[in-house]
């Protein structure tokens, strides 16, 4: 596979951009090798600058529910372009998008549009702290909510005492009130709430974890979280940046029937442009400036181009109510084929899938939390990843990520995916 142009561009990029990328996972450090510089996306496929073509299983990390460059979104952007790209003033379009989001996600009585999932998560946590007057934030190991200081925390020595920074540049005092528990461990959540429930402003969780690989909640985990937060007056925040409008129109909260107080959304609702949102109960959203005392602002919040793309995306979903059943069927089809390939080749691996999200974990046991995810053979994953790339399948370049199937994928595409996976697994044993 020719990669000269990607290699040359990566050399140049490292001169001008830290690590040569604008987001760390893109640098292929977890799998080594040269990141592919992409020239074009169309439907289910990417083409890199050397002319190599790949079935795209990353889908820009989730936004591309319909694959690349769907005509309806392209037309919406062209139409908006005639009127201008940004005004820094309210527009009719953003009212339409806010209403469409609230209608799709009933727990959102109001939403505030922002430009990234990080911004949405940071704002939702600040809002929960402002609304409750409390400081403590509970999150879970292996869940990622963007890179706001207070959320870049890992479990401290005594979890129930303080959180430690998980990044340089985050002073310990900024994570001291962030407590990190094990995902899918209701007992530790129960213990923490009985120790300090009245001090907890919020619990923030990925209702289906995607940032340690695809790890669904075990039965009762979300329900128990809901009853504890209710009982102690803490705000329950579902981070649905990845799962929102991906797993169902109403996201994971619709799928699992658990209603949070606040929801964070992103990715799909931007239709491929920078747009995210946080929203929820009206009495909590009433605390957001200019209505209330919790400040949050943004030059490009509700940007007309991003909103036009987001509206077109939600319209595509509205016009195609069977899309989630089809995406679920695609996910199950891919998972079935991958499990057969794992069995046939005898490589210790586990496939976890929900809807159109899935991960092939290089471990022979179920992955229910970060510790079990970290027990995977990441070297084997890296070799398998390059086997997939060489066979024309662009998989997520990290064991600890989900992949995202799109509605542009066909039976033939899933067949290609499974055959490439089988051959790449077999190669591991040679
Ligand atoms: P952004 O700030 O990247 O728009 O969103 C942060 C975020 C928040 N919450 C969840 C559940 C997320 O998955 C994300 C971002 N997801 C990663 C993928 N693991 C984006 C890819 C990247 O960081 O380059």
């Amino acid at each position: 596979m020719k990669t000269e142009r990607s290699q040359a561009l990566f050399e140049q990029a490292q001169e001008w951009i830290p690590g040569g990328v604008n987001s760390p996972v893109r640098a292929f450090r977890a799998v080594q090798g040269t990141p592919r510089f992409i020239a074009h996306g169309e439907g289910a496929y990417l083409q890199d600058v050397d002319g190599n073509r790949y079935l795209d299983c990353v889908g820009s990390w989730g936004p591309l529910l319909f694959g690349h460059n769907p005509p309806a979104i392209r037309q919406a952007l062209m139409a908006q372009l005639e009127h201008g790209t940004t005004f820094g003033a309210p527009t009719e379009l953003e009212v339409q998008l806010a209403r469409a989001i609230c209608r799709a996600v009933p727990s959102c009585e109001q939403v505030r549009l922002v430009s990234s999932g990080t911004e949405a998560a940071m704002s939702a946590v600040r809002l929960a702290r402002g609304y409750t007057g409390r400081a403590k934030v509970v999150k879970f190991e292996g869940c990622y909510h963007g890179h706001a200081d207070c959320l870049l925390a890992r479990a401290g020595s005594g979890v129930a005492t303080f959180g430690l920074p998980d990044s340089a540049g985050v002073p310990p005092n900024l994570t001291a009130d962030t407590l990190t528990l094990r995902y899918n461990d209701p007992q530790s959540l129960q213990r923490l709430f009985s120790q300090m429930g009245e001090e907890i402003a919020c619990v923030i969780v990925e209702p289906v974890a995607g940032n340690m690989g695809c790890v669904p909640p075990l039965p009762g985990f979300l329900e128990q979280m809901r009853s504890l937060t209710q009982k102690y007056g803490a705000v329950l925040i579902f981070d649905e940046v990845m799962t929102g409008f991906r797993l169902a129109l109403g996201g994971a909260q619709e799928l699992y029937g658990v209603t949070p107080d606040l929801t964070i959304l992103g990715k799909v609702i931007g239709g491929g442009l920078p747009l995210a949102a946080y929203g929820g109960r009206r009495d909590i959203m009433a605390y957001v400036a200019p209505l209330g005392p919790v400040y949050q602002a943004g030059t490009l919040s509700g940007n007309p181009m991003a909103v036009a793309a987001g509206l077109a995306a939600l319209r595509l979903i509205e016009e195609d109510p069977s899309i989630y059943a089809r995406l679920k069927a695609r996910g199950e089809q891919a998972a079935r084929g991958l499990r057969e390939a794992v069995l046939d080749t005898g490589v210790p691996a586990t496939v976890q899938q929900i809807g159109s999200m899935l991960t092939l974990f290089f471990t022979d046991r179920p992955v229910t939390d970060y510790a079990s995810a970290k027990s995977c053979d990441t070297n084997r994953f890296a070799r398998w990843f390059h086997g997939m790339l060489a066979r024309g399948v662009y998989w997520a370049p990290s064991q600890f990520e989900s992949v995202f199937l799109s509605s542009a994928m066909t039976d033939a595409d899933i067949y290609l995916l499974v055959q490439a996976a089988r051959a790449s697994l077999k190669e591991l044993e040679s």
Side-chain angles (χ1 to χ4, degrees):
M1 178 173 268
K2 269 167 36 35
T3 59
E4 283 75 13
R5 271 210 34 79
S6 277
Q7 286 176 35
L9 283 170
F10 192 40
E11 287 294 311
Q12 276 177 49
Q14 291 174 81
E15 180 65 24
W16 308 108
I17 306 170
V21 291
N22 283 309
S23 199
V25 70
R26 304 177 189 174
F28 276 23
R29 292 215 166 189
V31 293
Q32 305 307 314
T34 303
R36 300 303 193 262
F37 280 62
I38 302 304
H40 183 74
E42 198 67 41
Y45 284 81
L46 285 172
Q47 185 166 316
D48 71 17
V49 292
D50 291 287
N52 303 305
R53 196 164 174 268
Y54 309 94
L55 176 68
D56 182 10
C57 295
V58 175
S60 184
W61 302 102
L64 302 179
L65 200 69
F66 319 99
H68 291 275
N69 223 356
I73 294 181
R74 197 164 61 240
Q75 282 142 25
L77 286 167
M78 313 257 252
Q80 180 54 40
L81 210 46
E82 297 302 312
H83 301 288
T85 58
T86 181
F87 310 116
T91 65
E92 181 181 356
L93 280 183
E94 62 196 316
V95 179
Q96 290 173 5
L97 181 59
R99 182 172 53 222
I101 291 169
C102 293
R103 283 183 175 158
V105 187
S107 67
C108 288
E109 294 177 303
Q110 285 201 322
V111 285
R112 170 61 62 84
L113 303 181
V114 295
S115 301
S116 74
T118 292
E119 206 183 340
M122 171 176 72
S123 310
V125 166
R126 183 183 307 134
L127 174 58
R129 284 170 152 169
Y131 173 74
T132 58
R134 303 175 182 177
K136 294 262 184 287
V137 172
V138 178
K139 70 178 286 290
F140 297 90
E141 212 175 17
C143 287
Y144 174 66
H145 308 289
H147 57 87
D149 281 345
C150 71
L151 291 170
L152 286 180
R154 58 186 162 81
S157 54
V159 159
T161 47
F162 55 88
L164 296 175
D166 205 10
S167 161
V170 178
N173 64 308
L174 294 188
T175 53
D177 284 319
T178 307
L179 308 169
T180 302
L181 300 181
R182 196 162 67 86
Y183 195 78
N184 275 327
D185 177 0
Q187 292 74 25
S188 67
L189 191 66
Q190 174 68 60
R191 258 194 317 277
L192 185 68
F193 266 94
S194 50
Q195 281 169 354
M196 57 175 71
E198 275 81 15
E199 296 175 56
I200 296 173
C202 63
V203 174
I204 182 168
V205 68
E206 288 184 63
V208 170
N211 285 288
M212 51 179 135
C214 181
V215 178
L218 293 176
F221 180 53
L222 298 178
E223 292 80 355
Q224 190 245 19
M225 202 180 293
R226 176 65 286 177
S227 63
L228 282 169
T229 45
Q230 206 103 40
K231 179 179 172 189
Y232 287 90
V235 173
L236 178 55
I237 304 175
F238 272 11
D239 180 344
E240 297 226 42
V241 165
M242 206 179 254
T243 55
F245 294 95
R246 166 134 318 253
L247 296 182
L249 182 65
Q253 56 195 269
E254 176 188 309
L255 219 54
Y256 289 90
V258 176
T259 302
D261 302 307
L262 292 179
T263 298
I264 302 165
L265 294 162
K267 296 185 195 274
V268 172
I269 64 165
L273 269 69
L275 191 145
Y278 66 98
R281 280 175 27 203
R282 190 179 291 275
D283 63 319
I284 301 178
M285 295 303 284
Y287 275 67
V288 178
L291 216 49
V294 177
Y295 194 70
Q296 179 266 310
T299 303
L300 296 173
S301 293
N303 172 265
M305 295 299 287
V307 168
L311 265 174
L314 297 201
R315 279 196 197 107
L316 279 174
I317 294 170
E318 267 163 43
E319 290 157 7
D320 181 5
S322 70
I323 186 168
Y324 291 112
R326 295 202 319 275
L327 283 167
K328 180 169 181 276
R330 279 287 174 240
E332 288 165 349
Q333 185 187 20
R336 222 177 10 258
L338 290 170
R339 288 188 182 112
E340 283 162 12
V342 165
L343 273 178
D344 293 351
T345 54
V347 173
T350 302
V351 179
Q352 295 190 177
Q353 167 263 337
I354 181 156
S356 54
M357 285 171 66
L358 64 108
T359 298
L360 181 88
F361 289 103
F362 279 81
T363 174
D364 55 4
R365 58 196 186 124
V367 176
T368 57
D369 59 17
Y370 194 49
S372 45
K374 291 295 271 185
S375 74
C376 288
D377 184 334
T378 51
N379 292 327
R380 199 165 244 181
F381 171 83
R383 286 163 42 217
W384 178 78
F385 169 84
H386 282 287
M388 295 290 269
L389 210 53
R391 293 177 172 86
V393 178
Y394 192 77
W395 198 264
S398 162
Q399 172 68 95
F400 311 112
E401 294 285 359
S402 297
V403 295
F404 304 93
L405 307 182
S406 74
S407 62
M409 290 181 175
T410 63
D411 285 338
D413 296 325
I414 302 300
Y415 180 77
L416 162 69
L417 186 164
V418 170
Q419 289 309 97
R422 180 188 297 276
S424 305
L425 286 168
K426 212 171 271 175
E427 212 164 46
L428 294 178
E429 301 309 284
S430 53

